Amino acid sequence: MVFKVLMVFKILKLFIGFIFAAALGLVVLELFLQKAEIETVSTTDFDSHIGRIKRPNMNFIHFNEGFSMGQYNNNSILGPDCSIEKKTGVFRIAILGDSYVESLQVFRRDQFISIIEKQLSKNLGKSVEVLNFGRSGFDLADMFAYQQNFVNQFKPDLILYFLSSNDLICKQTDLLIPKVILKDCELIVTNDLFPQKYLRTYNKTKWLTQNSITMQMLVSAGKLILAGKFWPKMLGKFHVNFKEPLISNNITTQLPPLTFAIQDNFSSNTIVVNRGNSQLSKEFMIGLEKNKIPFVSLRDTLTVLKQKGIDPYYWVVTNTKGHLNHMGHKAIGYYLSEKLSKLLIN
Amino acid sequence: MLFNSFIFFIYLAVVLPIYYITPGKMKNVVLVLASYVFYGYWDYRFTALLAISTIIDFTVGQKLYKCQDSKNQKRWLWLSIFSNLGILAVFKYYGFFVESVAPLASIFGGNLDYLHLNIILPVGISFYTFQTMSYTIDIYRGRLTPTKKFIDFAVFVSFFPQLVAGPIERATNLLPQIVKRPMPSKSQIEKGVVLIITGLFKKVMIGDAAGRIVDNIFSQPDIYKSPELLAALVLFSIQIYADFSGYTSMARGTAKLLGIELMKNFEQPYLSQNITEFWRRWHISLSSWLKDYLYISLGGNRRGMKRTYINLMITMLLGGLWHGASWNFILWGALHGVYLVIHKLVSDKKKVKYGYRYSGLLSLFKYLINVTLTFFLVLFTWLFFRSPDFSTATTFIMKMIYWESSPFTMRFFIITFSFTFVMILFDILNIIQKSEVFILTIKNKGVIMGILVVMLLASFLFMFQNEALPFIYFQF
């Protein structure tokens, strides 16, 4: 009997020791992860009007393709603090787009946005402020909703839509972004379509990923597993993929009516920029012409860069192809500065 | 196969039970097969090179021992040295030689383009060639009796825990253990597991995590500001230590699980009070190899002061070249050589300080000053070690002179401090507890388990999300 009690006591001591050490260890680990900025806690939050937003006054570090650090300012925009009210004499440009505009891979000082800001200020002889409203995963409809619900309050003098041919399909995949719909031939940005169950779960659990890097890492690992990366990661070279490779059948997707409705509702101070490698659809281009929306293509600039032996999408350190690298940013920064200067002076 | 990959842990989970249940005589066959699978995972073709090196040195070892006259003995020894250095010369230094000579040839109208061969550097070649060379040299010097069994020698050359990045073992230490085909004791298993987990944590959570910043900054130093560059350099000094000492811990831990003890490679090098002490604590297996087989062979300190300094410089220059076929490594070695010569000159015949014992605040203050100074001297050399070329190093130096401030200075400082603090904490705990497996000094086993589980969880999570970075010393 005494032996049994002693055994139970010993096991209990081990168990308590384990729980205590693991809990303390996790706290110390979390502290190290945060101070050494090994990852960033979740940078997003939910706003009932804007939808998924970036958390204001938030520092971030980014490791993917390249490396950068930065901050979301007091208004949840990438870059230094700015006021919603525009200062007198300042010419304000808002740039909307996806991750190619957001450009988390490079420091803000090297982004094309900063180059435009500097060059335009010089060329126009007045203070120019360029606000980065790029958001990863955004398509045309998401950008439009973002403009209506968020960007317009900053009263930009010029709005640039950075688009690629894929963005025109308007899939609106992010569940927590307001949806743009066509109702009785009228374009509506609605906040009524958020999936409530998903939203409730998100709101209940977000504090975990917003405060703990360990949790954020666990969530990211879960996403990788769901994306089918578990066995390749585990088995390395021994992993054999039995799945048939997806064969692209090059079917040109017809653009939905929503795309043209958005195009018809572009404000008069909009400029469309083709940031992709392929041309935008013919119908879309005709619509731009009809609505007298200026259009700029970056294809030639990027092609010239490639011809010079500089791949604007290549990242040396990670040996990957992805978003625009520093050279790409530099090239399109100077190119757009010149283009915009001409457009604005005329 | 990388230690910081999931496949290595799966491999270990397969190899260890097979090794344990295999009867004594066959254990070394299992080890050789396992080692060749481990090495062949990178590129199976290089296993042939490993086999050739094994056959040559085994044969030379036998012949050397049987040979009676010194003339023939010398011939056999030179055969071993030439074949090992020959392999190194072809695979590691050939490209560097052609690249260095080509500009000279072009001055005289020559074109050496046809000599350019894209030879891939086999992983760990510098480590196992040095190890096998020590075997034949020790037999020549009469310090070692060669093993009669080829399979035992094959394990000595290809022993997977230390095959690709050391520690560079001496046959006098490793071979007798291999011949015995030991089973690990309970203490060895405990220490082995702790060493593997702490080593993995150092490599992944400190080395690789810091390396992501270092690699990006060193690839394009011109776009970064002065404090960011300085942070990258300090982070590299932490990265290389965490990376290499993490690897060594894992190697020693894995060997312990096989019942074999490998030598220590690091003893808190960044807590050294002078550069001589640093070299007694940093990459111990290489520095002692260079001392025993190069410095002493050159005459060491037996031929007067001048010759001692020259020998020291030659040893460090070749030590630099051992790290890589590049002028940067030669400069790195040269700088260390100069430091060592100056320290020898300054300290004269005084005994070199080693370790520290607290004897009042003043002594602590002196100790900290010395440690800091030594660290900065070493830090400067890391700039050339890490820079891919001289222009990168020049950009660094110019940006240190023409200082450009950065809005991220504070963040970089905190990041650098955090990595440094955690790495030094390992060293301090090691000193206080007088054990590299200081965690095992905790009495409650549950606490030990808790700490190890958290370290392993964090490392696995990081490994799962990021591409496995090879150990820095694999390229050497």
Side-chain angles (χ1 to χ4, degrees), chain B residues 274-340:
Chain B
N274 54 64
I275 202 73
T276 309
E277 187 187 3
F278 174 81
W279 275 105
R280 286 180 192 169
R281 292 172 176 272
W282 177 271
H283 202 176
I284 298 165
S285 65
L286 176 70
S287 48
S288 60
W289 196 101
L290 290 172
K291 185 184 150 202
D292 291 350
Y293 299 102
L294 186 61
Y295 179 70
I296 289 175
S297 300
L298 289 168
N301 56 4
R302 290 161 298 169
R303 295 184 188 171
M305 287 312 276
K306 253 189 192 173
R307 189 58 202 259
T308 304
Y309 300 144
I310 292 168
N311 290 343
L312 211 49
M313 278 307 293
I314 293 172
T315 307
M316 293 315 289
L317 280 169
L318 290 176
L321 192 63
W322 175 90
H323 282 83
S326 143
W327 288 105
N328 283 45
F329 290 117
I330 296 173
L331 182 60
W332 174 79
L335 273 172
H336 273 286
V338 170
Y339 287 171
L340 284 169

Side-chain angles (χ1 to χ4, degrees), chain A residues 13-14 18 21-22 32-33 35 37-38 60 63 67 69-70 107 109 217 233-235 237-238 317 326, chain B residues 7 41-42 205 212 215-216 219-220 223-224 228 408 411 415 418 422 444 446-447 450 454 464-465:
Chain A
K13 203 174 132 190
L14 280 177
F18 176 80
F32 168 59
L33 294 175
K35 294 295 163 198
E37 298 201 36
I38 287 176
F60 73 86
F63 298 104
F67 146 70
M69 353 170 116
F107 280 73
R109 61 186 181 228
M217 285 170 85
K233 285 267 176 193
M234 288 293 135
L235 299 177
K237 274 187 188 176
F238 293 126
V317 173
H326 298 87
Chain B
I7 191 67
Y41 185 82
W42 275 287
M205 297 304 292
R212 294 182 303 177
D215 291 348
N216 278 288
S219 75
Q220 265 181 305
I223 63 166
Y224 291 95
E228 297 161 6
F408 300 106
R411 282 177 72 184
I415 290 170
S418 306
V422 173
N444 189 326
V447 173
V454 170
F464 196 73
Q465 283 175 56

Side-chain angles (χ1 to χ4, degrees), chain B residues 19 27-28 176-184 188 258-260:
Chain B
Y19 178 78
K27 273 195 188 326
N28 284 344
Q177 296 187 68
I178 291 168
V179 172
K180 278 184 196 163
R181 295 179 287 266
M183 279 294 278
Q188 273 183 317
L258 296 161
I260 286 173

Side-chain angles (χ1 to χ4, degrees), chain A residues 68-106:
Chain A
S68 82
M69 353 170 116
Q71 66 179 129
Y72 292 99
N73 66 17
N74 53 338
N75 285 309
S76 304
I77 308 167
L78 262 172
D81 281 352
C82 68
S83 57
I84 293 178
E85 287 305 316
K86 201 168 45 176
K87 283 179 193 161
T88 44
V90 170
F91 187 80
R92 189 174 261 181
I93 301 174
I95 303 192
L96 284 147
D98 60 4
S99 52
Y100 281 78
V101 171
E102 195 175 26
S103 310
L104 292 176
Q105 295 75 14
V106 289

Side-chain angles (χ1 to χ4, degrees), chain B residues 363-377:
Chain B
S363 81
L364 180 68
F365 181 70
K366 266 187 185 173
Y367 168 73
L368 290 176
I369 293 275
N370 286 338
V371 167
T372 312
L373 279 175
T374 309
F375 176 74
F376 277 114
L377 286 175

Side-chain angles (χ1 to χ4, degrees), chain A residues 330-344:
Chain A
K330 204 172 173 183
I332 68 165
Y334 282 105
Y335 175 72
L336 274 175
S337 304
E338 288 308 306
K339 274 272 171 192
L340 291 176
S341 298
K342 277 180 195 165
L343 275 170
L344 291 169

